[in-house]
């Protein structure tokens, strides 16, 4: 009974998640709508391939065409084209080898025992990439599809070619995928999270109410920030690929490849992640009585002010770089002013630091390193 209840709850949870996904896909652009669109395109490609190869032409193994068409409606047009060429090469190799050996030996069992190891090894060829396994698939189609003839094998290859053409064409012509939105969202998320972490640390330092547990949570968030930056880097790679051989991408967006547009932003966010992780590690070690001494109020409050200004500058950077609408340059001007103020606070804090930690050379080294990172970050925030 308990197992049944758990199963029912799990089915309800998954059903609710599916309904939520469909609602989001209907309501606004996003990952959910992209997934629904790709699923619909794959179904359309299979229907077109079967309608021509199976219903109209009556091909002997017509299922090959819609099968190939489905698997080639991929996440980018470039990937559909590249994988299509690799898959056709693999299928052709497997088909030719299996046909030749079967005609010579005239026994399916022996042919399969000899051919499958050979084509599986051929499938490991680097030029076939992840599509090498289809060499074995092509061989199996030959050896399990009835009498082996050159004409039948040629028909299978032709059906695979037609299915590949349909899959690539549908992916390229029907709402070809472009991931510019996902890239900007990933970069904005990383910048926003960095600002929130720095604000949280600044509030704790200014109030003097922070302990090892709280500082540990800040440091965990900072470590996750590094993973957010990695996700942004991955999104940039997907965006660059989605613009290649894509008839929709450049015509609709009128921009350079997103990898070029956001490469400088990724460098800045890398530096933000390094700086934020260094800050939270120092505070965590101070809270736990580790390598860093707990800062006195005379240094904690100015340092908290510096962190707030850094968080403000990072948020402005995210708004300027990743959000449209700054046509008059007001956000960019505000960012430059915030960075100038940040440099002023940093210079003032650097002058105070030696006197505040005169008896603690380790603290001087620790905070000096953080200040050097902060100066590099501030310089990068205003680079074009």
């Amino acid at each position: 009974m308990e197992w049944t209840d758990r199963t029912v709850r799990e089915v309800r949870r998954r059903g609710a998640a599916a309904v939520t996904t469909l609602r989001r896909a209907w309501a606004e652009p996003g990952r959910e709508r992209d997934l629904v669109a790709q699923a619909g395109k794959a179904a359309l490609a299979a229907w077109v391939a079967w309608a021509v190869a199976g219903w109209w032409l009556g091909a002997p193994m017509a299922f090959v065409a819609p099968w190939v068409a489905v698997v080639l409606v991929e996440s980018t047009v470039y990937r559909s084209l590249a994988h299509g060429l690799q898959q056709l090469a693999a299928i052709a190799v497997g088909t030719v080898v299996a046909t030749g050996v079967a005609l010579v030996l005239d026994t399916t069992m022996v042919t399969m025992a000899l051919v499958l190891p050979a084509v599986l090894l051929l499938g490991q060829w680097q030029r076939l990439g992840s599509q090498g396994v289809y060499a074995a698939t092509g061989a199996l189609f030959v050896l399990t599809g009835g009498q082996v003839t050159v004409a039948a094998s040629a028909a299978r290859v032709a059906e695979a070619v037609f299915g590949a053409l349909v899959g690539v064409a549908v992916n390229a012509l029907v709402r070809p995928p472009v991931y510019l939105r996902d890239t900007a969202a990933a970069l904005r998320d990383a910048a926003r999270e960095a600002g929130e972490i720095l604000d949280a640390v600044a509030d704790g330092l200014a109030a003097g109410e922070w302990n090892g547990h709280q500082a540990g949570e800040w440091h965990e968030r900072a470590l996750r920030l590094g993973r957010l930056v990695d996700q942004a880097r991955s999104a940039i790679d997907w965006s660059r690929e989605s613009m290649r051989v894509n008839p929709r991408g450049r015509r609709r967006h009128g921009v350079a490849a997103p990898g070029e547009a956001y490469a400088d932003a990724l460098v800045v966010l890398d530096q933000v992640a390094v700086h934020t992780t260094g800050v939270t590690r120092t505070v965590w070690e101070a809270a736990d009585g580790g390598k860093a001494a707990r800062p006195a109020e005379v240094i904690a409050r100015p340092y908290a002010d510096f962190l707030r200004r850094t968080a403000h500058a990072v948020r402005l950077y995210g708004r300027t770089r990743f959000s449209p609408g700054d046509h008059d340059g007001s956000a960019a001007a505000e960012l430059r002013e915030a960075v100038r103020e940040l440099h002023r606070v940093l210079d003032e804090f650097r002058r105070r630091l030696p006197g505040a930690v005169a008896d603690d050379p380790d603290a001087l080294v620790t905070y000096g390193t953080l200040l050097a990172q902060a100066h590099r970050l501030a310089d990068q925030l205003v680079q074009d």
Side-chain angles (χ1 to χ4, degrees), residues 36-54 62-74 80 159-174:
V36 171
Q38 288 298 101
K41 288 165 56 177
L44 173 63
W47 183 86
V48 171
W50 174 258
V52 175
F63 74 89
V64 173
W67 169 69
V68 173
V70 165
V71 298
L72 287 183
V73 179
E74 299 227 25
S80 289
E159 290 154 11
V161 171
F162 177 71
L165 291 175
V166 171
V168 173
V170 168
N171 204 30
L173 300 178
V174 181

Side-chain angles (χ1 to χ4, degrees), residues 94 97-99 101-102 110-120 139 143:
V97 171
T99 301
V101 175
V110 176
T111 300
M112 188 175 293
L114 294 175
V115 167
L116 287 182
V119 295
L120 285 171
L143 300 176

Side-chain angles (χ1 to χ4, degrees), residues 31-361:
R31 181 174 179 273
E32 291 81 6
R33 183 175 292 183
D34 291 339
L35 291 175
V36 171
Q38 288 298 101
K41 288 165 56 177
L44 173 63
W47 183 86
V48 171
W50 174 258
V52 175
W55 177 70
W56 184 30
L57 298 178
M61 290 190 71
F63 74 89
V64 173
W67 169 69
V68 173
V70 165
V71 298
L72 287 183
V73 179
E74 299 227 25
S75 50
T76 66
V77 176
Y78 172 78
R79 190 159 297 199
S80 289
L81 183 59
H83 284 181
L85 293 174
Q86 291 175 329
Q87 187 179 127
L88 289 177
I91 290 175
V93 167
T95 301
V96 169
V97 171
T99 301
V101 175
L103 291 175
V104 170
L105 298 181
D106 196 27
T107 168
T108 301
M109 295 299 294
V110 176
T111 300
M112 188 175 293
L114 294 175
V115 167
L116 287 182
V119 295
L120 285 171
L121 285 175
L122 285 173
Q124 302 301 313
W125 187 28
Q126 186 177 6
R127 290 187 178 275
L128 295 180
S130 61
Q131 307 302 302
V133 68
Y134 290 107
T137 302
L140 286 173
F141 282 165
V142 170
L143 300 176
T144 60
Q147 184 178 2
V148 180
T149 65
V150 173
S153 296
R156 292 185 184 96
V157 174
E159 290 154 11
V161 171
F162 177 71
L165 291 175
V166 171
V168 173
V170 168
N171 204 30
L173 300 178
V174 181
R175 198 181 181 273
V178 177
Y179 294 94
L180 293 176
R181 177 185 60 253
D182 294 340
T183 301
L187 293 167
R188 280 197 303 269
D189 288 345
R192 182 175 60 252
E193 176 67 6
E196 291 177 357
I197 295 170
L198 292 172
D199 272 337
V201 177
D203 291 341
L205 288 176
E209 299 174 355
W210 48 287
N211 52 39
H213 176 72
Q214 191 174 28
E217 289 182 346
W218 294 336
H219 189 54
E220 285 295 324
R221 289 182 66 186
L223 294 176
R224 288 195 296 271
L225 174 62
R227 292 192 287 272
L228 281 178
V229 176
D230 289 338
Q231 290 175 11
R233 181 179 288 105
S234 177
I236 287 175
D237 292 339
W238 276 100
S239 296
R240 185 190 297 117
E241 184 177 300
S242 75
M243 297 289 282
R244 299 176 68 178
V245 295
N246 189 331
R248 173 179 173 237
R250 296 182 187 276
R251 182 181 69 248
R252 179 169 178 178
H253 296 276
V255 295
E260 300 168 6
Y262 291 131
D264 56 342
L266 192 60
V267 172
V268 173
L269 290 177
D270 267 325
Q271 184 64 35
V272 169
V274 169
H275 176 67
T276 305
T277 303
V279 169
T280 56
R281 181 185 295 113
T282 300
V283 174
W284 186 29
E285 291 174 349
D288 279 350
K291 297 178 181 179
R294 192 179 183 99
E297 184 176 348
V298 67
I299 191 174
R301 288 187 178 277
Y303 194 65
D305 181 50
F306 141 68
L307 290 180
R308 285 197 189 94
R309 293 182 184 276
T310 303
H312 178 60
V314 169
R315 278 193 293 268
L316 283 175
Y317 180 82
R319 195 175 74 194
T320 303
R321 180 66 68 177
F322 314 131
S323 298
D326 185 32
H327 302 297
D328 58 357
S330 58
E334 189 178 356
L335 173 61
R336 287 192 293 270
E337 179 60 32
V339 170
R340 280 195 293 269
E341 184 63 18
L342 180 58
H343 274 300
R344 185 191 64 78
V345 172
L346 287 172
D347 291 337
E348 181 179 347
F349 185 77
R350 183 175 56 185
R351 287 193 297 270
R352 290 186 181 184
L353 182 60
V357 294
D359 298 330
D360 190 348

